[in-house]
Amino acid sequence: MGLNLLGSLYLFGEFVGSRENPTALPNFSLKDPIAIEAEIECILNRLTLEEKIDLCHAQSKFSSMGVPRLGIPELWMSDGPHGVRAEFEWDSWNKANWTNDEITAFPALTCLASTFNPELSWAYGFALGEEARYRDKDVLLGPGVNIYRTPLNGRNFEYMGEDPYLASRMVVPYIQGVQKNGVAACVKHFALNNQEYWRNKVNVELSDRALHEIYLPAFKAAVQEGGVWTLMGAYNKVRGQYACHNEFLLMDILKEKWGFDGVVISDWNATHDTKEAALYGLDIEMGTGTNGMDVSKLDHYDYYFLAKPFLEAIENGAIDEAFLDDKVRRILRLNFRTAMNPYKPLGRKNNPEHHAVALQVAEEGIVLLKNESNFFPIKDQAGVTIAIIGENATRPMTIGGGSSGLKAEFEISPLEGIREYYQSAKIVHALGYESGPSDYNQVMAPSSNRSKLLEEAIEVARDADYVLFVGGLNKSRNQDCEGGDRLSYGLPFNQEAIINELYEVNPNIGVLLVSGNAVALPWLDKVKGLIQTWYLGSMTGQAIANIVGGSANPSGKLPFTFPKKLTDNGAHYFGEHSYPGVDFEQNYEEGILVGYRWHDTMGIDAEFAFGHGLSYTDFSIEGIVVNSVQYHLDDDIRIALSISNTGKMAGSEVVQVYVGKPNSKVHRAKKELKGFKKVDLRPSETKQITIDIPVSDLNYYDPNRANWHLERGMYHLFVGTASDQILKKIKIMIK
Ligand code: BGC
């Protein structure tokens, strides 16, 4: 399939192991950490109070100051998380219009999560880190691991889905890959920034269990397993206090319990108070809009909460200097790891290897949702006409969406990719509908134009052998974009009606859904094939064409549920209090039952379940066994099975293991993902695989003990290929 980079064990000269036999990833060699700590103390003693303060806040839109007197460099940051963002002017949101800041746009993180392939996540992070190095960045503002709670969240496409285990397994290698380049990853947005609506003021309340079991694990894995060097605070409030200076989140949990030794960076303009920022864990303040976002004094950075007001508070004794010293130590440590790192490589960008990684992630992440009568793949044959309809066939998607928007060196559109791929078949095209420019409130095409566009599309579709409608959302405001949520669950711009009309003239129709979110699919019965194509970056068209044409076999699995209707989703089931909140107050009423946990436990069928994704080949799984029927706390549960490719095409399947505890003394989801493995198989090939689950992973968070607790007794293991495709249920006992 595709280039299958990771089939070979060497990537960019580095041994990264194979999927079946992953090895420990190589560590980036830093100067001796003990020596660094000694140097940090030495520098700290030589810094004036003013110099220390200067380290703790921005000096431009994307940089913070160093100490020129001592040769300590500035720190340069850039978004994140799908590529390195274009350069901006020093102190404005105008693009700097450099001619050397075009980059490779990698697929959005929902797509990366859909690959269920942690080694590929490392390759993604490493390639991205190389591009960041080339662009001389010290901090890459990503990845994002806010849990997918509602399909309306405008930024879900930047995150890794609804399951904390999947997000944890995927975020760790991404971070390690980025940081191997001497560039800090910045895991964001800590925490509970699960909607864009009211993101600057909403106060999130939730149970301890939901917090620890659902919303924190990916951050914890980023810190403790990924060794992430920076973390970004969120805009919202959590339990009454802003997340960027939240004592409970940043002091008690992040720095104390998890032992984070890196730097907390504020989200841009998410700091609100000097004393709280000083005391409660913020280290570098960025983006504060002193005097408003547009009107700023020349030296307004001096008026940041962690600038002059902080200095004055220390001078007049209101805040102890020790709080400042802790921040400075962390910032110097970050500087040693990045800007001052003598071993950091030079990096590179837009090279064939990065494009190959982008292509492989795209191909492995695309999800084949429906494939009636083997509608896909569509072979390239003379005499066949394929009609491509829909604005998303030609609309650039690397731009828009907010801070994750990119200046890609190139972006192959779906139409371009398909035209390039199909040499014998005839490709015809019509726009079908028109929205508007990115990043603006979009208006529908005027009605006369609207009917003209539809008529053209119908004419093009009528005589074609295949119709492919390429639609979805488009990263403009309220359509998968930062700063606002989607306004409805259905497709915008009259697309539902257009699909229905196309079906009337030609029922041999399939849909390519370009989005980072689930959408309502009332037209699903009418279409024969449906492919979730995400936002795929530079290599979009090539990846899509390879999948549509069958040169690549789909293997992506949904990292979130597609509910049939919005109220089937746990966050929406409980009404306004739960989403979006009332008077800026919000309570996550569904608690731990997020995504498929809700659907499974409540018995609400999904349109497409978490973990679902079809292939062009067939697999058979046999001989599913466990290594024991009884386990103790320190044991690993080992599930072994054999999996065969019984079809005619090479392909990959993701074996998924969920665990449930019947008759638990606490409230539990019916089942939760605890292990998975992606297996590549040639036709007729069989492989034996094992999946290990540490017994300690079965514990739940006990709010009374304020700690994790393992319940003894009987558990169920569910082994399958999707959360709704369980092949075997096995009982085990925990002693
Ligand atoms: C976003 C962050 C981003 C930052 C800098 C904020 O608006 O929430 O994710 O990193 O801007 O662009």
Side-chain angles (χ1 to χ4, degrees), residues 61-62 78-81 85 88 93 140-142 155 158-159 186 188-189 193 196 199-200 232-235 266-269 286-287 402-404 482-483:
K61 280 280 175 274
F62 282 98
S78 176
D79 288 293
R85 199 177 179 188
F88 285 86
W93 289 108
L140 194 271
L141 303 171
R155 288 187 94 171
E158 289 187 64
Y159 304 143
C186 183
K188 64 191 189 182
H189 307 88
N193 182 183
E196 289 298 288
R199 72 171 175 179
N200 297 311
M232 188 187 291
Y235 281 117
S266 75
D267 202 339
W268 270 233
N269 203 19
M286 296 298 295
S403 60
S404 63
E482 182 175 338

XYZ file of all heavy atoms in Angstrom, residues 61-62 78-81 85 88 93 140-142 155 158-159 186 188-189 193 196 199-200 232-235 266-269 286-287 402-404 482-483, ligand 1:
312
model
N 4.828 38.557 18.506
C 3.673 37.650 18.426
C 4.062 36.189 18.716
O 3.301 35.446 19.307
C 3.040 37.729 17.026
C 2.131 38.945 16.866
C 0.767 38.699 17.483
C -0.109 39.934 17.441
N 0.100 40.853 18.596
N 5.273 35.789 18.286
C 5.635 34.381 18.443
C 7.018 34.148 19.051
O 7.596 33.086 18.841
C 5.523 33.654 17.092
C 4.101 33.324 16.715
C 3.396 34.137 15.840
C 3.457 32.228 17.264
C 2.074 33.845 15.509
C 2.142 31.931 16.945
C 1.445 32.741 16.067
N 6.079 28.428 16.863
C 5.193 28.482 15.693
C 4.122 27.415 15.814
O 4.381 26.316 16.283
C 6.002 28.249 14.416
O 5.123 28.214 13.309
N 2.924 27.727 15.325
C 1.924 26.665 15.181
C 2.425 25.734 14.080
O 3.190 26.140 13.196
C 0.582 27.293 14.745
C -0.043 28.051 15.907
O -0.436 27.396 16.878
O -0.115 29.281 15.846
N 2.127 24.484 14.043
C 1.327 23.635 14.861
C -0.130 23.528 14.417
O -0.652 24.438 13.827
N -0.641 22.281 14.569
C 0.096 21.016 14.771
C 0.325 20.197 13.489
O 0.873 19.110 13.554
C -0.826 20.239 15.713
C -2.191 20.735 15.369
C -2.074 22.140 14.860
N 3.719 26.962 10.670
C 2.910 28.071 10.153
C 3.778 29.149 9.494
O 4.961 29.285 9.832
C 2.126 28.669 11.321
C 0.937 29.505 10.937
C 0.234 29.968 12.201
N -0.917 30.801 11.924
C -1.607 31.457 12.853
N -1.241 31.360 14.135
N -2.634 32.199 12.541
N 4.862 35.732 10.644
C 4.044 36.932 10.838
C 4.956 38.133 11.068
O 6.125 37.976 11.420
C 3.118 36.760 12.048
C 1.973 35.853 11.755
C 2.098 34.484 11.898
C 0.775 36.364 11.296
C 1.047 33.631 11.587
C -0.285 35.532 10.983
C -0.146 34.152 11.137
N -0.891 40.689 13.245
C -1.349 39.425 12.653
C -1.260 39.462 11.134
O -1.844 38.624 10.457
C -2.763 39.082 13.131
C -2.758 38.687 14.571
C -3.229 39.413 15.620
C -2.211 37.483 15.138
N -3.010 38.738 16.811
C -2.394 37.555 16.534
C -1.581 36.355 14.602
C -1.974 36.556 17.403
C -1.166 35.351 15.467
C -1.366 35.462 16.849
N 7.232 24.009 18.771
C 6.180 23.739 17.786
C 4.872 23.623 18.569
O 4.747 22.741 19.439
C 6.534 22.429 17.077
C 5.853 21.982 15.784
C 4.617 21.161 16.049
C 5.533 23.151 14.825
N 3.922 24.499 18.290
C 2.711 24.579 19.112
C 1.708 23.480 18.748
O 0.692 23.702 18.107
C 2.096 25.971 18.990
C 3.058 27.107 19.380
C 2.477 28.470 19.037
C 3.418 27.039 20.865
N 2.006 22.305 19.139
C 1.170 21.140 18.929
C 1.885 19.953 19.537
O 3.043 20.093 19.958
N -12.730 22.708 16.584
C -11.323 22.323 16.466
C -11.080 20.830 16.580
O -9.930 20.414 16.730
C -10.489 23.042 17.539
C -10.325 24.501 17.266
C -9.360 25.145 18.240
N -8.011 25.183 17.710
C -7.010 25.847 18.291
N -7.209 26.492 19.428
N -5.814 25.861 17.758
N -8.145 19.181 14.805
C -6.768 19.335 15.292
C -6.431 18.353 16.408
O -5.326 18.390 16.943
C -6.568 20.740 15.857
C -6.532 21.848 14.848
C -6.155 23.162 15.516
O -5.036 23.272 16.031
O -7.000 24.072 15.531
N -7.380 17.538 16.814
C -7.181 16.652 17.959
C -7.213 15.182 17.539
O -7.370 14.859 16.378
C -8.246 16.956 19.022
C -8.277 18.404 19.474
C -9.491 19.038 19.762
C -7.103 19.150 19.604
C -9.529 20.362 20.181
C -7.136 20.479 20.023
C -8.357 21.083 20.312
O -8.395 22.386 20.721
N 4.585 21.183 22.009
C 3.797 21.897 23.021
C 2.406 21.289 23.027
O 1.574 21.604 22.179
C 3.731 23.384 22.674
S 2.858 24.357 23.905
N -1.316 20.675 23.776
C -2.321 21.691 24.084
C -3.713 21.127 23.939
O -3.864 20.052 23.344
C -2.116 22.905 23.181
C -2.331 22.661 21.676
C -1.851 23.864 20.853
C -2.242 23.736 19.400
N -1.746 24.849 18.578
N -4.774 21.725 24.438
C -4.840 22.926 25.272
C -5.281 22.430 26.629
O -6.408 21.937 26.750
C -5.848 23.920 24.716
C -5.608 24.247 23.251
N -6.138 23.519 22.223
C -4.865 25.216 22.672
C -5.749 24.044 21.058
N -4.985 25.072 21.304
N -10.617 22.265 26.970
C -11.024 23.181 25.894
C -11.678 22.316 24.799
O -11.135 22.121 23.739
C -9.769 23.896 25.374
C -10.055 24.916 24.274
O -9.126 25.514 23.735
N -11.316 25.122 23.920
N -15.251 25.454 21.108
C -14.761 26.788 20.780
C -15.771 27.860 21.191
O -15.407 28.989 21.474
C -14.476 26.887 19.283
C -13.268 26.085 18.870
C -11.999 26.593 19.542
O -11.523 27.672 19.185
O -11.499 25.914 20.458
N -15.147 29.963 24.244
C -13.910 29.357 24.779
C -13.178 30.276 25.747
O -12.443 29.814 26.607
C -12.973 28.939 23.640
C -12.296 30.089 22.901
C -11.232 29.571 21.949
N -10.663 30.648 21.161
C -9.708 30.493 20.265
N -9.201 29.298 20.032
N -9.246 31.506 19.586
N -13.378 31.579 25.607
C -12.650 32.514 26.477
C -13.274 32.682 27.851
O -12.674 33.277 28.731
C -12.572 33.889 25.815
C -11.789 33.821 24.541
O -10.691 33.268 24.507
N -12.366 34.329 23.462
N 0.683 23.898 26.651
C -0.072 25.150 26.543
C -1.340 25.087 27.367
O -2.114 24.131 27.272
C -0.440 25.425 25.074
C -1.059 26.805 24.861
S -1.667 27.058 23.169
C -0.141 27.106 22.260
N -1.552 26.127 28.169
C -2.787 26.237 28.937
C -3.939 26.600 28.007
O -3.736 27.135 26.916
N -5.149 26.299 28.448
C -6.331 26.529 27.616
C -6.938 27.903 27.909
O -6.565 28.581 28.870
C -7.349 25.427 27.885
N -7.895 28.297 27.076
C -8.588 29.580 27.259
C -9.623 29.538 28.385
O -9.827 30.519 29.085
C -9.340 29.944 25.974
C -8.469 30.534 24.894
C -8.298 29.885 23.680
C -7.848 31.766 25.080
C -7.521 30.431 22.679
C -7.067 32.319 24.079
C -6.906 31.647 22.880
O -6.132 32.198 21.897
N 1.179 30.136 27.957
C -0.255 30.460 27.923
C -0.750 30.331 26.493
O 0.026 30.469 25.544
C -0.492 31.897 28.381
O -0.103 32.802 27.368
N -2.035 30.059 26.324
C -2.585 30.260 25.000
C -2.582 31.770 24.766
O -2.443 32.563 25.704
C -3.985 29.649 24.848
C -4.313 29.383 23.373
O -3.666 30.010 22.495
O -5.205 28.560 23.085
N -2.703 32.150 23.508
C -2.538 33.561 23.145
C -3.698 34.402 23.677
O -4.838 34.209 23.272
C -2.417 33.675 21.626
C -1.007 33.578 21.105
C -0.401 34.488 20.277
C -0.011 32.574 21.353
N 0.899 34.106 20.015
C 1.158 32.944 20.660
C 0.018 31.407 22.124
C 2.328 32.183 20.697
C 1.181 30.650 22.158
C 2.312 31.036 21.450
N -3.379 35.246 24.612
C -4.381 36.101 25.248
C -5.271 35.321 26.211
O -6.443 35.626 26.359
C -5.248 36.804 24.181
C -5.896 38.067 24.727
O -5.456 38.607 25.740
N -6.947 38.529 24.077
N 1.962 34.508 26.596
C 1.993 34.873 25.174
C 0.667 35.502 24.757
O -0.391 35.174 25.289
C 2.242 33.631 24.307
C 3.580 32.943 24.487
S 5.044 33.930 24.074
C 4.842 34.172 22.311
N 0.766 36.386 23.789
C -0.415 36.860 23.058
C -1.371 37.768 23.795
O -2.468 38.019 23.310
N -8.127 28.643 11.251
C -7.546 29.352 12.393
C -6.052 29.156 12.456
O -5.374 29.084 11.424
N -5.529 29.017 13.686
C -4.076 29.023 13.871
C -3.381 27.828 13.213
O -2.173 27.847 13.021
C -3.742 29.058 15.364
O -4.274 27.918 16.006
N -4.121 26.788 12.857
C -3.484 25.633 12.215
C -3.385 25.802 10.700
O -2.868 24.925 10.014
C -4.241 24.347 12.553
O -5.557 24.417 12.026
N -11.252 27.245 14.228
C -11.028 27.798 15.560
C -11.922 29.023 15.816
O -12.255 29.755 14.896
C -9.555 28.225 15.622
C -9.137 28.776 16.943
C -7.637 29.070 16.960
O -6.897 28.492 16.148
O -7.246 29.875 17.803
N -12.286 29.219 17.068
C -13.004 30.431 17.457
C -14.512 30.304 17.385
O -15.231 31.202 17.816
C -4.729 28.933 19.610
C -3.482 28.106 19.842
C -2.362 28.628 19.002
C -2.124 30.082 19.339
C -0.998 30.728 18.572
C -4.442 30.414 19.771
O -5.523 31.153 19.339
O -5.740 28.528 20.488
O -3.751 26.755 19.547
O -1.214 27.852 19.210
O -3.312 30.806 19.060
O -1.340 30.900 17.245
